[in-house]
Amino acid sequence: QVQMVQSGAEVKKPGSSVKVSCKGSGHTFSSYAINWVRQAPGQGPEWMGRIIPISGTSDHAQNFKGRVSFTADKSTNTAYMELRSLRSEDTAVYYCTRLPNWGSGAFDVWGQGTMLTVSS
Amino acid sequence: DIQLAQSPSFLSASVGDRVTITCRASQDISNYLAWYQQKPGEAPKLLIYDVFTLQRGVPSRFSGGGSGTEFTLTISGLQAEDFATYFCQQLNVYPLNFGGGTKVEIK
């Protein structure tokens, strides 16, 4: 069964950092780019960035201006998203999802989401 | 960045109705357009990609169309389980932005 399982909910203080994990199973991890999407309460999804595990290449949306980084451990099929200098506006559900490296497609498998609450 | 404008943002319909949601892109995105369904507390679910290709397991009452900058998602014969929020997404250029969403509610 193809799935992506994320780490649990987090509560953080403003100015701190969070690292969310996403473990893939049931598929060839290296055939996909792992994308990260967040969704604030009552809002639409926002694309944050991606990492291509087979090459280690990553990029991110300009909105995050270097606050975010993506890593991947091919040996454990796990991707990570770290968000730094947290502020209250970062309160959201964070999802990992996959996109084929080649050919057509879209975000066909999603993690269950990780709720991040940023509050003093 | 490419912006996507969905309309309507809210839609009230009855079981059995045919409904159409529109997604307009701020520039040509070729055929790199996907549609997702999201229910409260769940991750988005892929319905359609490349404008009209149905994701495996998605009922055939869902269909997509359009090209260039204007696209549609049609549900032919709305079922109770279809009441949800729908998002379009462009996959032509990064960042892979989403539309603002259309909430489909029971009339």
Side-chain angles (χ1 to χ4, degrees):
Chain A
Q1 180 187 1
V2 177
Q3 57 180 354
M4 300 172 81
V5 179
Q6 299 181 222
S7 48
E10 301 266 11
V11 179
K12 295 291 183 179
K13 293 195 180 301
S16 66
S17 300
V18 69
K19 192 169 186 176
V20 179
S21 67
C22 169
K23 184 173 175 62
S25 62
H27 64 272
T28 307
F29 197 64
S30 58
S31 297
Y32 297 87
I34 306 303
N35 285 251
W36 291 86
V37 173
R38 76 176 184 180
Q39 192 167 26
Q43 303 299 310
E46 177 184 17
W47 182 80
M48 298 179 66
R50 63 164 180 166
I51 184 165
I52 303 173
I54 196 171
S55 65
T57 305
S58 67
D59 55 347
H60 60 271
Q62 282 300 107
N63 285 350
F64 296 94
K65 290 187 179 179
R67 286 199 303 136
V68 71
S69 57
F70 307 105
T71 54
D73 182 341
K74 288 180 288 186
S75 68
T76 61
N77 282 2
T78 304
Y80 300 89
M81 183 280 297
E82 182 178 29
L83 187 60
R84 299 175 290 276
S85 301
L86 292 171
R87 33 214 196 214
S88 58
E89 310 90 88
D90 293 320
T91 294
V93 178
Y94 290 74
Y95 295 102
C96 62
T97 181
R98 70 176 195 177
L99 182 67
N101 285 332
W102 303 278
S104 61
F107 295 169
D108 65 339
V109 178
W110 294 66
Q112 82 276 20
T114 296
M115 181 69 217
L116 169 65
T117 302
V118 182
S119 173
S120 55
Chain B
D1 295 4
I2 294 175
Q3 307 303 318
L4 297 177
Q6 279 185 243
S7 61
S9 55
F10 177 86
L11 190 160
S12 182
S14 301
V15 171
D17 284 355
R18 175 186 170 99
V19 301
T20 297
I21 299 167
T22 298
C23 178
R24 289 187 175 85
S26 58
Q27 62 190 74
D28 191 331
I29 57 170
S30 185
N31 65 336
Y32 297 107
L33 192 284
W35 291 96
Y36 300 85
Q37 176 193 68
Q38 188 176 32
K39 297 180 179 179
E42 298 182 2
K45 172 188 173 184
L46 177 63
L47 298 176
I48 289 170
Y49 62 94
D50 294 349
V51 178
F52 55 79
T53 302
L54 215 58
Q55 173 68 0
R56 195 174 307 159
V58 173
S60 57
R61 62 180 179 273
F62 292 91
S63 62
S67 64
T69 61
E70 186 155 334
F71 304 89
T72 58
L73 170 70
T74 298
I75 310 172
S76 301
L78 205 59
Q79 300 298 301
E81 60 266 31
D82 301 335
F83 292 97
T85 301
Y86 294 85
F87 297 97
C88 58
Q89 182 198 23
Q90 67 83 19
L91 295 104
N92 189 47
V93 295
Y94 287 86
L96 305 182
N97 289 337
F98 292 82
T102 297
K103 187 173 184 179
V104 178
E105 289 202 342
I106 302 173
K107 185 182 287 184

